[in-house]
Amino acid sequence: MVSDPWVPTTLPGVLRTSLTTHADERGSFTELFRVSLAPAGTPVFVQANLSRSKRGVLRGMHFHRRQSDLWIVVEGRAFVGLADLRAEGTPCLGLELGTGEAVLIPPHVAHGFYALEDLALLYLVTNEYDGTDELGFAWDDPAAAIAWPAGAPILSPRDRSNPSLAQVLAADTA
């Protein structure tokens, strides 16, 4: 699966990697995940989802208290915004991922993405979806200070009306 090792980012527990694709005249094959090559401590994934987004769409910011995500870019390019809610000052990180790249996101790391071009994103999660462990805050909240590459993205009604990070954190601890 992985020709390059999992590479740590500046946020603890957030790792990225590049996948190997084998192509010939018939097409291509890419191994997306193999538990024996996963980083130590990788949780068990129990659900897989495929998200397709048109260029200019921004999804986020969302976070989970009990769930890890593994995002795999199947097709396209995305700017991924990450904010570490475990650390004082909410350190953030922006990274660009393209086809065949992946990022592992632990609990309490908020995440979102902006589709730099039409995007197919496969994501594996450690909990089956039920809605009780998904929280969101405004994508452009200055407390997260993510340097998104676009000022007027296409947003869902939910992402357009998300509260501030401070409001979500206050409600989550109340």
Side-chain angles (χ1 to χ4, degrees):
M1 168 188 128
V2 179
S3 61
D4 298 321
W6 288 89
V7 178
T9 67
T10 56
L11 301 181
V14 176
L15 307 172
R16 69 182 293 175
T17 193
S18 295
L19 307 175
T20 300
T21 296
H22 304 279
D24 62 23
E25 65 281 353
R26 300 169 297 152
S28 67
F29 171 83
T30 305
E31 186 175 286
L32 299 177
F33 180 77
R34 184 187 298 196
V35 72
S36 64
L37 296 177
T42 298
V44 174
F45 296 106
V46 298
Q47 183 174 324
N49 306 296
L50 179 64
S51 168
R52 293 190 179 275
S53 299
K54 296 181 183 293
R55 182 177 188 256
V57 166
L58 190 146
R59 298 183 189 263
M61 293 292 287
H62 307 127
F63 68 96
H64 311 281
R65 294 166 291 208
R66 301 178 301 274
Q67 175 177 296
S68 294
D69 290 32
L70 174 61
W71 286 6
I72 302 165
V73 177
V74 176
E75 190 174 89
R77 285 183 324 121
F79 176 88
V80 176
L82 301 159
D84 191 346
L85 306 181
R86 304 165 296 179
E88 190 172 322
T90 313
C92 68
L93 172 66
L95 22 116
E96 191 172 315
L97 296 178
T99 302
E101 294 184 294
V103 62
L104 180 62
I105 306 166
H108 296 283
V109 173
H111 45 276
F113 66 84
Y114 174 78
L116 295 165
E117 54 192 52
D118 288 356
L119 179 69
L121 180 71
L122 173 70
Y123 60 103
L124 307 177
V125 295
T126 57
N127 293 336
E128 291 183 6
Y129 181 79
D130 70 7
T132 63
D133 189 38
E134 184 168 73
L135 301 150
F137 62 89
W139 67 276
D140 57 352
D141 191 307
I146 295 170
W148 296 104
I154 302 164
L155 299 167
S156 71
R158 178 182 133 193
D159 286 342
R160 196 176 304 118
S161 63
N162 272 339
S164 72
L165 175 57
Q167 290 170 314
V168 170
L169 293 177
D172 191 40
T173 58

